[in-house]
Amino acid sequence: MGLLILRRFLQAIPLIFLVSVAAFSLTWLLPGDPAYAIAGIEATPEEAAAVRERLNLDDPAHVRYGRWLGNAMQGDFGKSALTDRPVAAELKRRLPITASIAVGAFIMAVLIGTLVGVVQGAFAGRLPDKALLFFVSLGLSTPQFWIGTLLITYFGVKWKLFPVLGYVSFADSPGQWLEYAFLPMLTLAIFTWSEVARQLRTGLVGVLDQDYVRAARARGISNTRIIARHALKNAALPTITIIGVRLGFLLAGSIIVENIFGINGLGAYALTAVQTRDVPIIQAVVVISAAVVLIVGFLVDVAYAFLNPKVRVR
Amino acid sequence: MTKRRTALLGFLAVFAIIAGACGDDADTTGQGGTATTLGSAGGTVASTRPVVDADPAAILRYGSMQANSLDPVLQRTPCEITQMRLIYDTLFYYDVAGKLQPMLATEYKLDDPLNLTVKLRSGVKFQDGTAFNAEAVKFAFDRALTDAISNVKGALYMLESVTAVDETTVRFKMKSAAGGPLLAQLADRPGLMYSPTAFKAAATPADFFGKSPVGSGMYQITGEYRPIESMSVRSWDGYWDTTTPRLGGIDMTEVKVDALVNAIKSDQFDLVPIDAASQVAGLKDATDVVVKIDPSIQLRTFLINSTEEPFDDVRVRQAMAYGIDRKAVTDVMTEGLVGPVSQWYPKGFVGYDAALDSLYPYDVAKAKQLLTEAGFPDGFTFNAVIGDTSTSYIQQNELIQGQLKLIGVTMNITYVPTAQTVPTFYPTDPTKKSGVVAGAWGANLTYDPDAFFRPRYLSDGNTNVGRDELPGLRDVLVQAAAATDEATRVRLYGQAAKLTLDSLLEGFPLFTVPAIQAHKNYVGGVDVATTRCPATLRGKYITKGKVAITN
């Protein structure tokens, strides 16, 4: 197990390095002059040149990369080209917002997806399975922006049950956090729980057909107990992989959801930065997102190895 | 008229026209040697309607916050002045009719063509207790002229120095006679006053303007200011103007354009700007929301770089003007709320000339004839640049693209990141021309036409796409800036408008964008709708108990 953890950790280092090089290259890949964005619309050429000098924009690429990487490793991602505010401070403020919604959506998705998947698996081919399959298929095929808009229209505007814009942190008020975060979490969760349900159903149908389950049934053990104590663990292995992959997607989905619901999290920060060509922010978000995805992948690998000993020897 | 438009117009609460704006009787430059008092010296600065039982503790929730800098001399977006005007007052201001009115200054006198004396309001204090006086004015203008980060120096091209004559008297010495343009700047960003004591006490200017700016405005900043995201202000008890309605505070949050309609319908906001006329229909069923629509000073134009072939031939430029059906474009873009325009300034403004009202009517045959005369009987192809997220500009350009096909002209559209449109259109290096050949673009009119024409048409102007200059225009602008009587100003700026529209050197206007604001029916003081950039929040109020205002 220890060897597996060490191996996965060492594999992550070159990946992060490559991501950092790609992120830093954005300075050249994106068109235009960042000095202009900083100096403002009315800036004279001298003012733009002063900005270039102040930010060392004229230094050779490798010198700038070395300086940027050194600072980034100490948590300093520079300042936003647009607002002149430290990127690290904004990331520190926004990451928990995005994380709380992504984690909330994740928990919602796993709980509901597991419940739906188990019911479908237990009643495979019968009416409950077919009825739930309709909703699962709907959840898998409906785009997030449409779900979000629909939820806003009915739950926010028509029935005024939930606020449609903004965010209150969990620390400030758990009740208000839930009130503001519920619709965004629901929007994010629907696809994931549908996928979890589909995987789990497929897994359960396969497992419930195996000899040891038939033997358990022959011994008079109830179906509920068979599923809860024997079948679910074995059926869940492929689902865990899906859950791990979906965590990364939840982060990506936050870009859409945060913009629909006016939440100033990491996703909205990234989108605005791309639209305004705020390179320091884009670089930081790319590196941080890659790190989060790698960490999640790492945890999934460890969890998988824990549940399935065969993986540990590979 | 379509059913949709009839329905749209049917529920619009108010549709006012800024008619007779500043022009005829406005005295914006003073008479040589005679002190000129503008408006009522003790004055209320805004309200035009009776106030209905205002709640002085109410907090207004406004659905826009685009300020990226609260430093008056560092403009990053044209919208920032909306937030700045809440914290800082200007020396003068333009009222809704476009007339210069007193604010921190009560009167001015043009001593001679190069010297302007301004009398300040006495007894005014900044929010830190520092007295507002002539030294504070001198401090602010000296910084605007000399600070390395100041990007309003170009707007103060005429200003040489500022002298504090006594506690309440300031003298502005000019390099060139331009009293009118200078007064306009005293009502704009350079004229925003902040406490010199608090500024000097702050660790850095960025700290002062980013964390705790101190002005003499009716509101003080509270909590954390987050650029282009959120900002809150609360009423300041020491404010000099006790007559203008004041809220307990304003919470401003930046809301995506597409979310504004739902934002107000779901009761999360009290006042929101509506950027697209098409969104007005979405508010039709909101019975507690009032939609206010007025003309604005925001123009949509067809921008041309006349130093690029084939636009270096005036006949080609004129062919474009004849070949674009401005009415059709305007109808689609504004849902028929306003009509097209054929000159820069609307009636009643200095810069308007009645003789220019029917220029370049839509005429495909005439356009083709001009192209043939210019040597392009089969038309030509050119490139236009548009921001890739500016849906309104994309739509506008695509409409024009279709129309130009009818005269044989192919307009290839290149999409660039929206943030890059301004640098692409207006390169910072004065020796470089814009990469843009032509395309539909926007522009804000200024109450003093000098600030509109000078940057666009003089070779050293920072929004001149081709860096070329119309012969004779500089002389006209210099004379107009120095003019001290209104009739001469009207005549000369009318002449400047004619020169620019005859030559079409920088293109031509299409329409003025309607200013649309939606507010809850308990919000008062929305006499005239403003666009998001800039918006006027001064004088807005909420009724006690949020009782609907019935008129």
Side-chain angles (χ1 to χ4, degrees):
Chain A
M1 190 76 168
L3 196 66
L4 176 97
I5 292 172
L6 183 69
R7 201 166 56 218
R8 291 283 187 271
F9 179 74
L10 291 174
Q11 281 170 351
I13 293 173
L15 267 173
I16 280 283
F17 173 73
L18 284 175
V19 167
S20 76
V21 172
F24 187 74
S25 307
L26 289 172
T27 313
W28 296 278
L29 295 174
L30 293 174
D33 184 352
Y36 198 93
I38 300 166
I41 296 165
E42 303 290 329
T44 62
E46 293 76 24
E47 287 157 359
V51 168
R52 257 182 237 112
E53 194 181 334
R54 180 162 59 86
L55 300 180
N56 303 308
L57 293 175
D58 293 328
D59 281 357
H62 66 279
V63 174
R64 290 173 57 200
Y65 174 72
R67 192 186 301 125
W68 176 79
L69 189 65
N71 291 335
M73 286 172 78
Q74 297 172 59
D76 178 5
F77 287 97
K79 286 183 175 179
S80 156
L82 199 66
T83 65
D84 207 29
R85 300 215 153 190
V87 175
E90 278 297 300
L91 290 176
K92 195 177 159 191
R93 181 171 74 83
R94 290 168 182 264
L95 198 55
I97 298 173
T98 301
S100 78
I101 290 170
V103 169
F106 178 73
I107 293 169
M108 199 185 259
V110 171
L111 290 178
I112 297 175
T114 304
L115 188 68
V116 172
V118 166
V119 171
Q120 280 193 282
F123 294 93
R126 285 183 277 168
L127 185 65
D129 177 33
K130 286 176 179 168
L132 286 170
L133 184 65
F134 171 77
F135 290 105
V136 166
S137 304
L138 206 63
L140 287 170
S141 56
T142 314
Q144 275 177 343
F145 72 87
W146 193 80
I147 292 172
T149 309
L150 206 68
L151 292 176
I152 284 176
T153 305
Y154 285 94
F155 288 86
V157 177
K158 272 193 190 300
W159 302 326
K160 296 187 176 167
L161 294 173
F162 293 96
V164 299
L165 291 166
Y167 175 83
V168 173
S169 83
F170 189 85
D172 288 346
S173 164
Q176 276 198 307
W177 170 80
L178 189 62
E179 201 184 332
Y180 277 83
F182 185 75
L183 293 184
M185 289 193 305
L186 192 61
T187 308
L188 265 181
I190 285 177
F191 184 90
T192 304
W193 89 42
S194 302
E195 198 158 356
V196 168
R198 188 177 63 168
Q199 277 297 335
L200 201 56
R201 179 199 176 276
T202 310
L204 266 178
V205 168
V207 169
L208 289 175
D209 199 35
Q210 290 194 4
D211 290 344
Y212 76 93
V213 173
R214 280 205 291 274
R217 281 202 186 110
R219 283 201 296 273
I221 300 171
S222 71
N223 216 21
T224 312
R225 191 168 167 163
I226 289 170
I227 290 171
R229 299 199 61 174
H230 305 288
L232 195 56
K233 189 182 171 188
N234 290 325
L237 282 173
T239 313
I240 286 172
T241 311
I242 291 294
I243 288 172
V245 173
R246 288 309 307 173
L247 247 176
F249 278 89
L250 286 178
L251 275 179
S254 70
I255 291 178
I256 297 167
V257 169
E258 286 177 11
N259 277 283
I260 293 173
F261 289 95
I263 297 167
N264 290 308
L266 202 61
Y269 195 45
L271 184 66
T272 308
V274 169
Q275 287 171 342
T276 56
R277 199 186 167 276
D278 202 332
V279 174
I281 296 177
I282 302 170
Q283 289 170 334
V285 171
V286 167
V287 171
I288 294 288
S289 303
V292 169
V293 169
L294 281 174
I295 290 168
V296 168
F298 172 76
L299 292 175
V300 168
D301 282 352
V302 171
Y304 209 82
F306 177 76
L307 290 169
N308 186 0
K310 281 189 283 182
V311 176
R312 293 176 215 166
V313 296
R314 269 194 267 153
Chain B
M1 185 178 281
T2 62
K3 277 185 186 174
R4 189 180 179 190
R5 198 180 306 155
T6 312
L8 183 68
L9 293 173
F11 85 94
L12 295 179
V14 192
F15 189 93
I17 305 284
I18 310 176
C22 74
D24 307 342
D25 56 353
D27 183 352
T28 54
T29 59
Q31 304 297 318
T34 311
T36 305
T37 303
L38 297 153
S40 54
T44 299
V45 186
S47 65
T48 56
R49 280 189 190 183
V51 174
V52 183
D53 209 14
D55 179 356
I59 306 295
L60 179 87
R61 299 161 302 169
Y62 179 58
S64 175
M65 211 308 278
Q66 296 204 332
N68 190 13
S69 155
L70 294 178
D71 185 345
V73 306
L74 179 61
Q75 172 168 321
R76 286 202 171 112
T77 82
C79 312
E80 288 156 350
I81 202 160
T82 300
Q83 279 70 36
M84 286 191 204
R85 283 190 187 281
L86 299 171
I87 305 166
Y88 324 114
D89 276 350
T90 39
L91 296 179
F92 296 98
Y93 82 103
Y94 284 100
D95 64 16
V96 291
K99 289 184 181 173
L100 199 70
Q101 297 289 355
M103 204 168 205
L104 288 177
T106 53
E107 57 187 78
Y108 67 87
K109 187 177 79 171
L110 205 54
D111 303 317
D112 58 61
L114 293 176
N115 284 289
L116 178 80
T117 298
V118 170
K119 199 79 182 160
L120 306 177
R121 192 178 295 277
S122 56
V124 174
K125 290 202 180 301
F126 288 107
Q127 290 151 358
D128 63 344
T130 302
F132 165 70
N133 55 23
E135 284 297 340
V137 176
K138 177 177 165 50
F139 179 83
F141 276 91
D142 282 352
R143 180 167 173 265
L145 287 173
T146 58
D147 196 311
I149 66 162
S150 168
N151 58 14
V152 297
K153 289 170 193 157
L156 293 172
Y157 71 91
M158 77 299 282
L159 186 59
E160 185 172 323
S161 62
V162 179
T163 310
V165 178
D166 60 38
E167 191 72 3
T168 57
T169 311
V170 188
R171 184 168 301 126
F172 294 86
K173 187 173 185 214
M174 290 173 267
K175 293 179 211 164
S176 56
L182 175 58
L183 276 167
Q185 293 308 318
L186 305 192
D188 210 326
R189 293 179 74 109
L192 290 161
M193 294 293 114
Y194 47 91
S195 165
T197 314
F199 178 87
K200 287 171 192 165
T204 62
D207 262 6
F208 175 70
F209 292 111
K211 290 178 183 166
S212 51
V214 178
S216 64
M218 61 163 55
Y219 296 102
Q220 280 178 299
I221 197 160
T222 182
E224 192 183 351
Y225 147 66
R226 291 176 178 149
I228 329 176
E229 188 183 322
S230 63
M231 174 178 157
S232 291
V233 291
R234 292 293 177 264
S235 171
W236 178 49
D237 290 341
Y239 190 56
W240 60 271
D241 178 3
T242 52
T243 328
T244 302
R246 192 165 13 146
L247 290 148
I250 307 175
D251 288 342
M252 292 160 277
T253 311
E254 179 58 14
V255 179
K256 299 279 173 198
V257 171
D258 298 336
L260 286 164
V261 168
N262 284 335
I264 194 158
K265 283 170 83 173
S266 64
D267 298 339
Q268 276 191 266
F269 288 88
D270 304 307
L271 174 69
V272 296
I274 300 291
D275 294 298
S278 57
Q279 288 182 315
V280 174
L283 289 161
K284 194 176 165 185
D285 56 345
T287 52
D288 61 343
V289 174
V290 178
V291 180
K292 186 96 178 62
I293 305 176
D294 288 295
S296 75
I297 54 168
Q298 233 178 58
L299 267 181
R300 287 296 173 87
T301 68
F302 189 79
L303 189 73
I304 293 176
N305 182 347
S306 54
T307 58
E308 295 276 351
E309 285 183 352
F311 295 105
D312 54 347
D313 188 325
V314 68
R315 291 169 295 188
V316 173
R317 301 197 291 270
Q318 288 172 341
M320 305 297 278
Y322 282 114
I324 293 174
D325 184 351
R326 293 195 298 274
K327 185 175 182 323
V329 173
T330 308
D331 279 350
V332 172
M333 295 302 297
T334 70
E335 304 257 323
L337 292 174
V338 296
V341 296
S342 63
Q343 61 176 311
W344 305 112
Y345 277 90
K347 191 176 180 184
F349 277 73
V350 177
Y352 168 82
D353 182 349
L356 306 175
D357 257 348
S358 52
L359 283 179
Y360 307 113
Y362 181 50
D363 189 338
V364 172
K366 176 95 174 165
K368 283 183 173 172
Q369 182 201 328
L370 281 163
L371 286 178
T372 305
E373 286 171 18
F376 299 98
D378 302 320
F380 60 90
T381 299
F382 72 96
N383 297 315
V385 173
I386 315 173
D388 54 8
T389 54
S390 309
T391 47
S392 163
Y393 286 105
I394 291 171
Q395 187 186 12
Q396 183 177 307
N397 276 280
E398 286 176 350
L399 284 168
I400 289 171
Q401 186 183 41
Q403 291 180 349
L404 290 178
K405 272 211 163 133
L406 299 177
I407 61 168
V409 173
T410 303
M411 174 175 166
N412 288 329
I413 298 175
T414 305
Y415 297 94
V416 298
T418 299
Q420 286 309 307
T421 49
V422 169
T424 308
F425 282 26
Y426 311 122
T428 48
D429 185 343
T431 61
K432 283 183 185 166
K433 291 185 293 188
S434 163
V436 176
V437 178
W441 183 232
N444 269 3
L445 287 171
T446 53
Y447 289 113
D448 189 280
D450 184 77
F452 178 77
F453 289 120
R454 185 172 281 270
R456 284 173 180 78
Y457 288 96
L458 299 191
S459 55
D460 49 356
N462 57 0
T463 51
N464 180 335
V465 289
R467 307 289 183 193
D468 47 353
E469 184 167 318
L470 193 62
L473 183 66
R474 189 178 287 266
D475 288 343
V476 173
L477 291 180
V478 168
Q479 287 174 46
T484 54
D485 69 288
E486 200 60 14
T488 309
R489 279 166 49 79
V490 169
R491 179 176 57 79
L492 288 169
Y493 282 122
Q495 201 176 322
K498 183 167 179 359
L499 277 171
T500 60
L501 290 167
D502 282 348
S503 70
L504 299 178
L505 209 64
E506 295 285 314
F508 47 88
L510 300 167
F511 60 92
T512 46
V513 176
I516 310 172
Q517 281 182 318
H519 63 88
K520 291 286 185 182
N521 55 16
Y522 50 75
V523 176
V526 192
D527 297 341
V528 174
T530 51
T531 59
R532 183 195 289 261
C533 294
T536 305
L537 297 177
R538 185 187 180 84
K540 305 286 180 287
Y541 65 92
I542 287 175
T543 57
K544 281 182 183 157
K546 294 192 172 178
V547 174
I549 299 169
T550 49
N551 64 346

